[in-house]
Amino acid sequence: MEIELLPEHIIDQIKAGEVLERPSSLLKELIENSIDAHSTEISIHILDNGLSLLSIEDNGDGINFSNLPKAFLRHATSKIKRFEDLYSLNSYGFRGEALASLAASARVTCVSQPINLNESGGKLIINGGLTELITPQQLNKKGTAFFIKDLFYNTPARLKFIKSKISEKIQLKKIIYSFVLSHPEIQFTIKWDDKEKDFFKIQDNFDLTKRIESTLPKNLHLLFAEESYMNYKVKIFFTKEASKNSTHKHQFLFVNARYFQDKSLHQAIIRNLDSLWSYGESGHYIVIIETPPDAIDVNVHPNKTQIKFLESDTVFSLLVTAIRTALHSIASQHIPLPTEATSLFTHDVSQFSSVQLSSPDSYNQHSQSLQQNEDSSFIIVDNSFCIIQKETFYFIINLQNLMIEVLLSLVEECLTNEENISPLLVSEPFQVKNNAIDKSFEQIKKLGFEFDRLSSDVIILRTIPKNLPRAILDCSSKSIIEYFLDFKDSYNQNDFKICLLKSQNKNPVFNTQLIKTLLAMPNIDNKYFMVQLNKKNLGTVFS
Ligand code: ADP
Ligand code: MG
C-alpha cells in the first residue's frame, strides 16, 4: 500500500500548479483581475511566450500600499468577505490564489496606484516567495502593473510541462482573443517579442461587430445570423472563407459573456456549414449564447472551460437554425450584419453565482435540512458509535457503517447519473506511486472521483460525488484507490463494501457536525448500520 499524506508545502506547490499550469493560465488570471478592477485599458507584453517576461498594465482601481502585500497571500481576496458572498459574486476571481501562486514560483514586480490619487500605492518585488522590496509610492494615474520574469523559476519541473513554443503561443493568443472578443468595452494592446503589436481600440458604442472585424484578417466576408426562443438567444458570426490551416483561426463560443469549449457544438457548426466550407476546411466563427442564468452549470475547475446546458437541445437547435438562415440569405445575396449586437457583452458574472458553486450549495441544503431535523439528538460513544433518540426509541449507530452507506449511495447516484458529479474548487493531491492505478481512472471517474496523474508520485482528484461531506473526502478517496489497486479493475458494490469494511484507512473523526451531516443524507435506506437499542439485541451490536 503506497498511500501517504503529503507534506503541507508540497500540497501548496501542487495547488499553485493547478492555477498556473502554464503561461497562458497565468495570463488568464491576470486579465481577469484587471477586468475585475474595472479597467478600460489593458496592455500586455509577452517575451518568449511568457517564459522570459509577461507584463500587464491596466488603468483599473489599483491596490493601496497597505493591501499590496496582502494581495499575494494565499486565500487573500478583496472579492468575498463572507461565505454567502460567493452567491452574489460579480467578478471572475474569488479564490485568492492566483497572485499567491505566482509569488511562490516566479520573480514578480508589482506597481500599483489606487483609484484615490491622494492615497499611497506602492511597489513590491517578490522573488520565488521572498519579498525583496516593498515601498510606498504615489503616482498620478490609477492602475496596476505586473512584470513577471522567469515564470517557474522556483518550480523548474513545471517548465517541462510547457509543450512546444508554438502551441504555447497559440494558447496565449486564444486566451487574449477570448477577452478581446468578449469585452469590446476594453482597449487591449498586445506586444509580442518587441516585434508584432496588436491593438484593439474601443469602438464607438462598444461595437461588437467592429471589434470582431478588427481581430480578423482584412478581405474576409463576415456573415451573421441570430435566433431566439423564450429567454434563449444565439448569435453567430462566421466568415464566408475557409482554409485548412487551423492556427490563428478564431473559433470561439461564449455563453453569457464567458468563453467556453464544447466539441459537439463545434462539430454542429462545421457540419452545418459544409455547403460553404469545403470538407476538411473551416473558417472563423464566433458564437454568442445568452441563456437564463440558472440554465447553465459552470465547471469551476480553474483550468477547464466547460459548461453544461440544462436545455442543450434548445441551444443546439437555435444555433443550427441561425446557421441555416444565414446560409439562406447568402444564397439570396443578402448578407445581413447585426444592428444591435452591442450590449451583448455586459459583463455580469453574478448570473452564474447560484449555479456555479454546486457543491457548497448542496452542503448548504444539507445544513438546512438538519436544522429542521432537530427532533433527533445523539451522544457519541468513543468515535465509533453513537446513540440517537428518535421519538421514544433509542438506536445505536455504527458510525463507520453509516459512513460506508453514505459513500455507497453517493457513488451509486454518480453511476446512474453523471449530473451527480461535482468539481472540486481546488484539486486534492494524493501520493500514489504505483501507476497501475492510472488504467482504472476511467472506471473510477464513473463513481464520481476523477483523478489525473500529475507526476510519477502524485495523482490529483478533480471531482467528487455531489454532496460528499468534506470530512470523508480523504478516506473515501483513499479507499477507492485502495480498492482499484488491490482488488478489482471494475466496480462491484458488494466487493467495494467488503473492502471498505476491511479498509486500512483510518476513519475520520466523527464529530458532531459530521454525524449530523451523515444522518441528514437522503437515500440511505439500507439500515444495517443502525440497531434499535433493547436488551435483546445489544449483543448483536457489539459483536
Ligand atoms: P482573486 O482574484 O481570486 O481575488 P488574486 O490572487 O487573483 O485573487 O488577487 C488577489 C487580490 O489582489 C484581488 O482580490 C484584488 O484585490 C487584488 N488585485 C489583483 N490584481 C489586481 C489588479 N490588476 N487591480 C486591482 N487589484 C488587483
Ligand atoms: Mg484573480
Side-chain angles (χ1 to χ4, degrees):
M1 197 62 245
E2 288 161 337
I3 303 177
E4 293 158 38
L5 265 189
L6 286 170
E8 277 297 313
H9 71 279
I10 296 191
I11 295 182
D12 261 12
Q13 273 189 340
I14 291 167
K15 290 186 174 178
E18 277 292 284
V19 181
L20 307 179
E21 221 162 36
R22 49 199 294 189
S24 51
S25 36
L26 169 63
L27 184 61
K28 174 172 178 280
E29 295 287 337
L30 294 172
I31 299 177
E32 287 181 348
N33 280 347
S34 294
I35 296 176
D36 283 348
H38 313 105
S39 307
T40 55
E41 287 169 27
I42 299 178
S43 307
I44 297 163
H45 188 181
I46 296 169
L47 286 181
D48 189 22
N49 297 305
L51 293 177
S52 306
L53 174 78
L54 210 163
S55 86
I56 177 165
E57 276 185 76
D58 66 41
N59 66 347
D61 299 342
I63 310 169
N64 68 25
F65 181 64
S66 63
N67 278 321
L68 198 53
K70 286 193 223 156
F72 290 85
L73 298 177
R74 190 162 296 283
H75 303 307
T77 175
S78 58
K79 297 164 196 171
I80 55 166
K81 299 241 164 6
R82 300 163 309 141
F83 186 75
E84 298 82 75
D85 291 349
L86 281 175
Y87 300 94
S88 54
L89 197 66
N90 203 358
S91 67
Y92 283 114
F94 67 84
R95 287 173 291 122
E97 286 189 308
L99 295 188
S101 303
L102 174 65
S105 65
R107 299 173 196 264
V108 188
T109 303
C110 173
V111 179
S112 193
Q113 171 61 46
I115 187 163
N116 175 356
L117 297 181
N118 297 322
E119 229 183 317
S120 181
K123 179 174 182 175
L124 176 68
I125 301 180
I126 302 186
N127 289 339
L130 293 175
T131 304
E132 309 265 309
L133 173 88
I134 163 111
T135 170
Q137 170 173 310
Q138 213 161 337
L139 302 172
N140 56 14
K141 195 171 155 268
K142 74 182 168 93
T144 306
F146 288 93
F147 303 88
I148 294 132
K149 287 180 222 139
D150 303 324
L151 188 59
F152 309 119
Y153 129 100
N154 214 19
T155 46
R158 234 170 255 302
L159 255 182
K160 69 175 195 280
F161 285 100
I162 310 296
K163 292 186 204 137
S164 75
K165 290 193 168 179
I166 295 172
S167 82
E168 195 51 40
K169 181 155 189 181
I170 292 171
Q171 205 50 37
L172 283 163
K173 287 207 158 172
K174 189 104 198 167
I175 293 294
I176 292 172
Y177 281 110
S178 74
F179 290 104
V180 166
L181 290 167
S182 54
H183 292 278
E185 78 286 5
I186 297 175
Q187 172 172 300
F188 288 89
T189 312
I190 300 108
K191 200 166 149 201
W192 299 89
D193 290 330
D194 293 320
K195 285 176 285 184
E196 295 165 67
K197 197 164 178 180
D198 294 325
F199 183 57
F200 304 98
K201 62 181 201 300
I202 307 176
Q203 307 281 355
D204 299 340
N205 301 325
F206 308 147
D207 189 329
L208 180 65
T209 313
K210 288 213 178 95
R211 174 57 62 93
I212 292 175
E213 279 170 339
S214 69
T215 67
L216 294 174
K218 302 276 168 294
N219 66 42
L220 294 183
H221 294 89
L222 190 63
L223 310 170
F224 167 80
E226 73 179 305
E227 283 297 324
S228 53
Y229 171 74
M230 311 277 279
N231 295 325
Y232 285 79
K233 194 181 256 181
V234 173
K235 310 196 178 206
I236 178 166
F237 296 80
F238 57 98
T239 55
K240 200 172 164 191
E241 298 76 9
S243 69
K244 280 203 179 70
N245 181 0
S246 67
T247 43
H248 309 313
K249 206 174 277 172
H250 292 330
Q251 300 188 328
F252 286 98
L253 302 167
F254 297 97
V255 61
N256 301 350
R258 192 174 267 245
Y259 167 60
F260 73 103
Q261 290 172 306
D262 189 311
K263 273 208 186 98
S264 58
L265 284 178
H266 170 77
Q267 272 149 12
I269 295 165
I270 304 287
R271 234 181 298 117
N272 282 281
L273 282 171
D274 65 355
S275 61
L276 191 65
W277 298 343
S278 35
Y279 182 77
E281 298 193 348
S282 65
H284 303 261
Y285 70 73
I286 289 124
V287 169
I288 293 141
I289 301 168
E290 287 171 68
T291 72
D294 52 359
I296 55 170
D297 196 352
V298 182
N299 185 334
V300 288
H301 185 281
N303 295 331
K304 283 186 191 161
T305 44
Q306 259 126 39
I307 299 269
K308 246 186 212 155
F309 290 97
L310 287 191
E311 295 193 33
S312 52
D313 288 354
T314 309
V315 173
F316 219 80
S317 46
L318 285 176
L319 179 63
V320 172
T321 317
I323 294 174
R324 292 193 181 146
T325 316
L327 289 175
H328 240 77
S329 47
I330 304 171
S332 58
Q333 287 306 309
H334 169 65
I335 301 173
L337 274 172
T339 44
E340 44 88 49
T342 50
S343 58
L344 281 178
F345 275 119
T346 45
H347 169 60
D348 182 7
V349 194
S350 66
Q351 306 169 6
F352 295 91
S353 46
S354 63
V355 276
Q356 190 174 29
L357 296 152
S358 48
S359 52
D361 194 26
S362 48
Y363 291 140
N364 235 19
Q365 281 168 13
H366 278 290
S367 56
Q368 274 162 20
S369 66
L370 272 173
Q371 282 149 18
Q372 292 154 9
N373 199 13
E374 263 162 3
D375 58 340
S376 69
S377 54
F378 55 82
I379 342 168
I380 307 172
V381 189
D382 90 349
N383 195 38
S384 304
F385 296 92
C386 79
I387 295 168
I388 65 165
Q389 182 184 3
K390 277 196 166 187
E391 290 150 22
T392 56
F393 302 102
Y394 290 90
F395 296 86
I396 186 151
I397 288 181
N398 180 327
L399 291 172
Q400 198 207 1
N401 289 1
L402 167 64
M403 182 189 88
I404 291 174
E405 188 56 32
V406 166
L407 179 60
L408 289 174
S409 79
L410 292 176
V411 158
E412 216 51 45
E413 281 170 15
C414 292
L415 279 171
T416 49
N417 183 354
E418 62 177 36
E419 305 264 299
N420 291 322
I421 297 175
S422 82
L424 284 171
L425 284 181
V426 178
S427 310
E428 284 295 322
F430 292 85
Q431 184 161 355
V432 186
K433 291 205 181 97
N434 189 344
N435 62 13
I437 190 72
D438 299 25
K439 65 177 183 349
S440 305
F441 281 171
E442 275 305 305
Q443 287 287 330
I444 302 177
K445 188 174 160 186
K446 295 191 185 122
L447 311 178
F449 293 82
E450 182 180 345
F451 287 102
D452 266 340
R453 179 159 295 280
L454 190 73
S455 71
S456 56
D457 294 0
V458 176
I459 61 176
I460 49 173
L461 179 65
R462 295 199 190 279
T463 67
I464 51 171
K466 207 169 176 172
N467 300 338
L468 184 80
R470 285 279 153 162
I472 68 166
L473 184 150
D474 202 59
C475 56
S476 315
S477 315
K478 286 179 183 170
S479 302
I480 293 226
I481 297 170
E482 196 171 282
Y483 173 81
F484 279 90
L485 267 181
D486 293 358
F487 295 83
K488 299 280 174 255
D489 45 23
S490 71
Y491 176 74
N492 170 293
Q493 196 191 48
N494 265 332
D495 293 346
F496 186 45
K497 192 155 150 184
I498 294 165
C499 167
L500 288 172
L501 285 166
K502 290 198 294 208
S503 176
Q504 302 160 25
N505 290 318
K506 294 260 178 335
N507 285 337
V509 178
F510 289 106
N511 58 26
T512 319
Q513 190 51 45
L514 176 58
I515 297 173
K516 274 190 180 177
T517 312
L518 292 175
L519 287 172
M521 284 293 190
N523 311 333
I524 318 173
D525 12 72
N526 180 347
K527 295 277 161 40
Y528 74 92
F529 54 85
M530 175 163 159
V531 175
Q532 194 182 336
L533 213 50
N534 57 38
K535 273 186 196 153
K536 211 165 63 191
N537 60 25
L538 267 180
T540 338
V541 178
F542 289 106
S543 62

